[in-house]
Amino acid sequence: MVFHDVRFPEKISRGARGGPRRRTQVVELYSGNEERNASWANSRREYDVAFGIRSNDQLQEVIAFFEARNGRLYAFRFKDWADYKSALPSKAITPLDQQLGVGDGTQTKFQLRKLYGTVALGYWRTITKPEAGSIRVAVNGTEQTSGWTADLATGLINFNSAPASGTIITAGFEFDVPCRFDTDSIDITLDLERLGSITSIPLIEVRDT
């Protein structure tokens, strides 16, 4: 994935519209029953950032960002203000927010992830673009302030020494969504007050693998 490690302007992304999308094939039988099949194992986020533009200056900022990314060519970081951290929106991040795995005495790398729903009937979302300085890690409920590093490009937590067998690895963090523009053109309308407006600027999440 060709990726620029820069974030889309936060003030504009705060007003964006969008969220997760899944692709499910539904076949309705003559009996009225249905057969359903999930085409995607993971959801994919889609956004429209045109709703976040409030001034001509912000419009020009988006155009500049679009040009620097060569339209759809380069992906970038996007902050989804509706879902950007390991804890609930009203809660502070703690190192106990999300379980990353269980130590086996040899594994040193653990992927950041976030659970939606319950462990038995839920969805684990892989987090690949954590925010620098936001990550907190714990082993068996005790926060680890050293002895590990985080790869901000992949979301992997790398321990200097493998956690002991049976220990629970948890983490708290903020994160961005890797996105790209879902268009190679921007259609601008100039009104009588010389303020530009755009009807739609679609973004779509990209997958690292």
Side-chain angles (χ1 to χ4, degrees), residues 169-185:
I169 315 303
T170 58
F173 45 86
E174 291 188 10
F175 61 92
D176 294 322
V177 183
C179 286
R180 64 165 172 81
F181 286 97
D182 199 22
T183 180
D184 271 325
S185 63

Side-chain angles (χ1 to χ4, degrees), residues 136-197:
R136 301 176 65 184
V137 174
V139 176
N140 265 2
T142 301
E143 183 167 10
Q144 308 295 304
T145 58
S146 62
W148 58 271
T149 57
D151 188 335
L152 302 181
T154 64
L156 282 172
I157 302 300
N158 188 10
F159 287 90
N160 297 343
S161 300
S165 180
T167 53
I168 306 299
I169 315 303
T170 58
F173 45 86
E174 291 188 10
F175 61 92
D176 294 322
V177 183
C179 286
R180 64 165 172 81
F181 286 97
D182 199 22
T183 180
D184 271 325
S185 63
I186 292 183
D187 186 15
I188 305 171
T189 299
L190 293 175
D191 59 27
L192 294 178
E193 286 76 26
R194 308 292 295 174
L195 295 176
S197 63

Side-chain angles (χ1 to χ4, degrees), residues 86-148:
S86 56
L88 291 173
S90 61
K91 304 295 184 181
I93 292 173
T94 77
L96 307 180
D97 288 344
Q98 302 291 330
Q99 181 174 325
L100 307 188
V102 180
D104 60 6
T106 60
Q107 183 178 352
T108 58
K109 294 183 178 181
F110 293 83
Q111 178 69 53
L112 291 180
R113 60 181 187 170
K114 181 176 179 179
L115 176 63
Y116 295 80
T118 64
V119 174
L121 295 173
Y123 166 63
W124 285 102
R125 177 185 179 187
T126 300
I127 304 299
T128 61
K129 295 293 181 285
E131 183 177 344
S134 71
I135 304 171
R136 301 176 65 184
V137 174
V139 176
N140 265 2
T142 301
E143 183 167 10
Q144 308 295 304
T145 58
S146 62
W148 58 271

Side-chain angles (χ1 to χ4, degrees), residues 2 16 23 26 30 44-45 58 61 66 70-71 79 86 90 99 108 110 112 119 130 135 162 165 202-203 205 209:
V2 283
R23 179 168 294 175
V26 180
Y30 285 109
R44 194 177 190 186
R45 266 71 181 166
Q58 288 185 333
E61 190 175 2
F66 173 85
N70 284 282
K79 187 168 186 174
S86 56
S90 61
Q99 181 174 325
T108 58
F110 293 83
L112 291 180
V119 174
I135 304 171
S165 180
L203 307 182
E205 182 179 4
T209 57

Side-chain angles (χ1 to χ4, degrees), residues 22-27 34-41:
R22 288 186 173 273
R23 179 168 294 175
T24 307
Q25 296 177 349
V26 180
V27 178
E34 292 181 343
E35 291 184 358
R36 297 180 296 276
N37 180 63
S39 300
W40 294 350

